[in-house]
């Protein structure tokens, strides 16, 4: 009983010294420098320190051994999260309450045995308070992140649906740019991926600052400023080994929706085994082939002459034609296909006789690139 009474008297003296304890806390905080760059005013720090220390001392005075901290740790954790305080700095600051309280207890004239038996209690109270502040901070961060995602989705909806052709009305573009944290007249890179490739792109984008995502049917569209001062373009780490279509140099935020629509259509034309990013230069034959197919199967009609060849010959003619279109060199084709250059020339003449396409002529070669891309 004497021990309980002695402890009660020590804690009561602490309670009367809360403003002094807050001053000691702020001195330690200033000495450690953890809050030097944090967006918290001195008055806020002082008020919080006094309220926190008063709560902790009240818990030390309890005789039932319980710890009931009320709503203060929740309010503090959420408030600091909204202020943008660094979590590690916050937790370190809260844990400074222990040395402040313990030093104040040691300064009192009292039985050392009383303090020794209460050391665990002091630490348990401070630790419980720090943990609840920590959890509240994380909860509020999750809420803020979800709110930010909702706001971003709303802004992207306005961007992609804001006007004719998916382009927002001019007077809203500046507001959308500000909300998305990009320059209205910046140059952008736009990317589209489907299915499993979309999942990979989405995961990488979530770990990359400045990338905006929009879910679409069967996939995702991503865009980001092409030139971020002081940062390397994220294109390679976002798109490496992904079957996707990427276009750069999109001029201005207002042009992003149309560019996204274009690359998404191109992404649907990629072969299922595509495993690398493609640009418009690689995809344009597929786009042109789709246009021909949409006109009554025109591509098959233009290649119908090949049907007069033997089945095994058709494969050789197509292989030789594609190799020649890729290099433009008979010698290179002969080396790649392990045959004589005269064999290559004979196959090219045979291809021309059956299809009417002389691959040495640029116009015919361009058409053949499209026809053979299917």
């Amino acid at each position: 009983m004497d021990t309980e009474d002695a402890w009660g008297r020590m804690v009561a003296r602490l309670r009367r010294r809360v403003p002094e304890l807050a001053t000691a806390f702020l001195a330690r905080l200033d000495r450690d420098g953890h809050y030097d760059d944090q967006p918290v005013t001195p008055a806020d720090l002082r008020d919080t320190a006094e309220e926190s220390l008063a709560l902790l001392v009240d818990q030390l005075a309890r005789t039932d051994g319980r710890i009931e901290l009320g709503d203060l740790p929740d309010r503090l954790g959420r408030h600091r999260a909204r202020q943008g305080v660094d979590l590690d700095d916050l937790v370190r600051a809260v844990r400074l309450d222990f040395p402040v309280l313990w030093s104040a207890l040691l300064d009192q004239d009292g039985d050392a045995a009383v303090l020794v038996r209460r050391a665990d209690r002091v630490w348990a109270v401070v630790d419980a308070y720090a943990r609840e502040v920590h959890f509240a901070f994380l909860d509020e961060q999750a809420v803020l992140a979800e709110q930010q995602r909702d706001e971003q989705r709303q802004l992207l909806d306005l961007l992609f649906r804001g006007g004719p052709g998916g382009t927002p009305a001019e007077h809203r573009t500046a507001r959308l740019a500000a909300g998305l944290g990009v320059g209205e007249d910046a140059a952008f890179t736009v990317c589209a991926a489907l299915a499993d490739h979309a999942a990979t792109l989405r995961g990488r984008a979530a770990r990359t600052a400045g990338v905006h995502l929009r879910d679409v049917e069967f996939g995702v569209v991503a865009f980001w400023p092409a030139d971020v001062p002081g940062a390397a373009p994220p294109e390679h780490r976002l798109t490496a080994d992904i079957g996707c279509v990427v276009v750069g140099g999109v001029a201005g935020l207002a042009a992003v929706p149309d560019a996204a629509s274009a690359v998404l259509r191109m992404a649907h034309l990629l072969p299922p085994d595509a495993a690398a990013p493609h640009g418009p230069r690689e995809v344009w034959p597929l786009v042109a082939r789709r246009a021909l197919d949409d006109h009554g199967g025109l591509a098959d009609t233009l290649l119908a002459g090949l049907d007069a060849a033997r089945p095994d010959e058709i494969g050789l003619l197509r292989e030789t034609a594609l190799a020649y279109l890729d290099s433009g060199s008979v010698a290179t084709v002969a080396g790649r296909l392990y045959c004589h250059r005269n064999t290559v020339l004979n196959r090219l003449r045979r291809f021309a006789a059956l299809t009417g396409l002389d691959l040495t002529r640029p116009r015919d070669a361009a058409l053949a690139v499209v026809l053979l891309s299917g």
Side-chain angles (χ1 to χ4, degrees):
M1 184 62 68
D2 290 342
T3 299
E4 293 293 342
D5 289 344
W7 175 249
R9 288 192 296 272
M10 295 176 75
V11 172
R13 286 193 290 270
L14 274 189
R15 191 65 176 83
R16 293 191 292 271
R17 295 176 57 197
V18 163
E20 180 185 340
L21 297 179
T23 299
F25 170 87
L26 294 174
R28 285 177 178 267
L29 191 65
D30 184 60
R31 183 186 66 201
D32 291 349
H34 294 310
Y35 259 45
D36 287 350
D37 299 323
Q38 300 297 345
V40 185
T41 65
D44 185 355
L45 283 174
R46 173 110 205 156
D47 291 343
T48 301
E50 290 194 11
E51 190 175 6
S52 297
L53 288 163
L55 172 65
L56 296 176
V57 173
D58 288 343
Q59 295 304 302
L60 296 180
R62 296 179 68 106
T63 58
D64 57 8
R66 299 170 63 183
I67 300 175
E68 295 179 354
L69 299 170
D71 69 342
L72 177 57
D74 187 76
R75 287 190 288 109
L76 176 59
R78 294 183 185 279
H79 181 52
R80 292 292 185 252
R82 290 191 295 272
Q83 289 177 312
V85 170
D86 180 81
L87 176 57
D88 290 338
D89 284 346
L90 172 62
V91 173
R92 279 193 290 263
V94 173
R95 293 194 183 281
L96 286 178
D97 289 325
F98 177 79
V100 168
L101 291 170
W102 191 246
S103 295
L105 288 167
L106 291 175
D107 286 343
Q108 296 189 31
D109 293 329
D111 188 349
V114 174
L115 288 179
V116 170
R117 284 193 288 270
R118 294 300 192 282
D120 287 346
R121 175 66 180 178
V122 178
W123 174 249
V125 168
V126 174
D127 185 56
Y129 184 63
R131 280 188 284 107
E132 291 199 22
V133 170
H134 189 166
F135 293 150
F137 185 100
L138 293 177
D139 284 344
E140 188 65 17
Q141 266 195 336
V143 170
L144 294 173
E146 184 58 33
Q147 289 176 348
Q148 185 178 35
R149 285 191 291 269
D150 287 342
E151 291 170 0
Q152 293 282 304
R153 282 192 288 266
Q154 292 173 9
L155 290 170
L156 291 174
D157 282 344
L158 288 174
L159 174 65
F160 281 82
R161 301 175 183 173
T167 303
E170 183 177 354
H171 70 279
R172 288 196 291 182
T173 306
R175 293 182 180 179
L176 291 173
L180 293 171
V182 299
E184 178 184 4
D185 299 320
F188 293 90
T189 300
V190 183
C191 174
L194 305 175
D196 291 343
H197 297 296
T200 303
L201 177 60
R202 187 182 291 108
R204 292 177 181 178
R207 300 187 296 272
T208 306
V211 179
H212 299 281
L213 288 174
R214 180 173 174 80
D215 288 322
V216 295
E217 190 173 13
F218 305 122
V220 66
V221 169
F223 68 94
W224 57 90
D227 184 18
V228 179
E235 181 175 331
H236 177 72
R237 64 178 178 272
L238 285 171
T239 64
D241 304 319
I242 292 180
C244 60
V245 178
V246 183
V247 61
V250 177
L253 184 62
V256 166
D258 286 339
S261 178
V263 295
L264 183 59
R265 290 196 299 269
M266 294 181 204
H268 280 282
L269 300 177
L270 293 178
D273 60 350
H278 291 65
R281 291 185 63 179
E282 294 97 348
V283 182
W284 76 263
L286 299 175
V287 175
R289 171 65 189 246
R290 170 58 63 86
L292 290 177
D293 289 340
D294 289 342
H295 287 77
L298 184 56
D300 290 337
T301 300
L302 293 173
L303 284 177
L306 285 177
D307 293 340
R310 300 185 314 276
D312 60 323
E313 185 186 17
I314 292 175
L316 289 173
L317 294 177
R318 292 179 68 99
E319 180 183 39
T320 304
L322 285 170
Y324 182 77
L325 291 170
D326 186 51
S327 67
S329 166
V330 171
T332 298
V333 175
R336 182 185 302 179
L337 301 183
Y338 304 105
C339 60
H340 195 276
R341 66 185 310 275
N342 287 339
T343 301
V344 175
L345 291 171
N346 288 335
R347 290 177 185 174
L348 292 178
R349 284 193 287 267
R350 176 67 168 158
F351 183 88
L354 292 172
T355 64
L357 297 173
D358 180 354
L359 301 188
T360 64
R361 296 172 57 189
R363 185 184 295 274
D364 286 359
L367 179 56
V369 167
V370 174
L371 296 175
L372 296 173
S373 65

